[in-house]
Amino acid sequence: HRVEEEEKVYFKLWNIRNIQKEPKRLKKFCSEVKNVEGLRLTLETLNCTTWTSGFQYLKKSHPELKSLHLKVYSKEKFEFFLDLIQLFGLVLKGLNMVFVGSAEGLHQFQPDSLPCLEELQFRSAFTDTDIAYLLSVCSSTLKVFESRAMRRTEEFCCKDSSFPALESVNLSLCDRLSDKGLVPLIKQSRIIALNVHRTSVTGMDFEQLGVLSCLSQLDLSHCKQFTDQGLCTILKNCPVLEKLNLSETNITGNGVSHICLAYLHSQLV
């Protein structure tokens, strides 16, 4: 897409998608545009190492950059992502990683490496320990967390971390995810939307969560182990729940009717 002359001067927020092949397009963009305060960049390549110079040029030519969202599809080693975070960690607000390989070197992150990260999404070969460490690095600012179709267990969440800003979690198709992994993540958060489709969540430990005063959307579809007790807890402790998906579960409804009647009575009163 050709950038118009007026856009080069006055626009501050940019979205570049589907960059492939060599980083010439990124360098050309950086040299033509006057102001880049915010940038969303989607990079799809099998050879990320050729992009290092392009990212270095971006940082050098636009020191005013305050907000960067990166979405990267790659078969490179994790070192490439470490290089990106070394360059842009202080302004990185969104990170979406899809890559093949281990997260070797992840623990090089320091607690202050990602001070403003709000969105974290990935599909990778991360271990539970890797994810726990990464979450602990950005626990105070994280708003959106998504890790779908991974073999998560109860060990993936650092039990000593809290996520006070967390609003949206998608762990669908993480078939080994249990209550023990989910509860520490959303406890003490202001969670609004939660998707645990096709996981091993039962709801038996949901009493530990207390009142989820902001939760309005919950997807429990295909959670075959979810219990009636878990459903009762949800209905009692989620006062603003608007959307609840229980399709393909084994819920019978036992014990639910009196909760529903109490809720209707409170609305009438």
Side-chain angles (χ1 to χ4, degrees), residues 241-260:
L241 190 64
E242 297 178 352
K243 295 181 180 179
L244 175 62
N245 189 344
L246 293 171
S247 60
E248 301 299 327
T249 64
N250 292 318
I251 294 296
T252 66
N254 290 335
V256 173
S257 58
H258 73 280
I259 298 174
C260 295

Side-chain angles (χ1 to χ4, degrees), residues 102-223:
S102 69
E104 183 178 354
L106 175 66
H107 292 258
Q108 294 178 27
F109 285 140
Q110 299 301 314
D112 58 351
S113 297
L114 301 166
C116 59
L117 189 71
E118 297 179 351
E119 299 177 14
L120 177 62
Q121 300 165 292
F122 56 80
R123 291 191 183 185
S124 66
F126 283 170
T127 65
D128 289 337
T129 303
D130 292 334
I131 297 173
Y133 185 79
L134 185 54
L135 286 172
S136 70
V137 169
C138 57
S139 61
S140 63
T141 57
L142 192 65
K143 292 183 178 181
V144 176
F145 176 52
E146 179 177 317
S147 177
R148 295 182 297 137
M150 298 293 138
R151 299 193 67 78
R152 302 283 74 85
T153 71
E154 66 273 10
E155 303 298 331
F156 89 95
C157 186
C158 182
K159 295 179 175 58
D160 296 326
S161 297
S162 60
F163 303 87
L166 194 61
E167 297 178 352
S168 177
V169 172
N170 187 344
L171 295 169
S172 61
L173 302 175
C174 295
D175 55 356
R176 292 170 58 189
L177 177 70
S178 69
D179 291 26
K180 291 181 180 179
L182 180 64
V183 168
L185 179 65
I186 62 176
K187 191 176 183 179
Q188 300 179 6
S189 73
R190 54 182 186 187
I191 189 78
I192 296 173
L194 176 62
N195 187 341
V196 286
H197 161 79
R198 206 181 289 272
T199 64
S200 297
V201 169
T202 68
M204 296 293 288
D205 293 339
F206 279 18
E207 288 284 358
Q208 300 176 30
L209 295 172
V211 177
L212 298 174
S213 58
C214 297
L215 186 64
S216 62
Q217 300 176 44
L218 176 59
D219 190 342
L220 292 163
S221 58
H222 290 267
C223 292

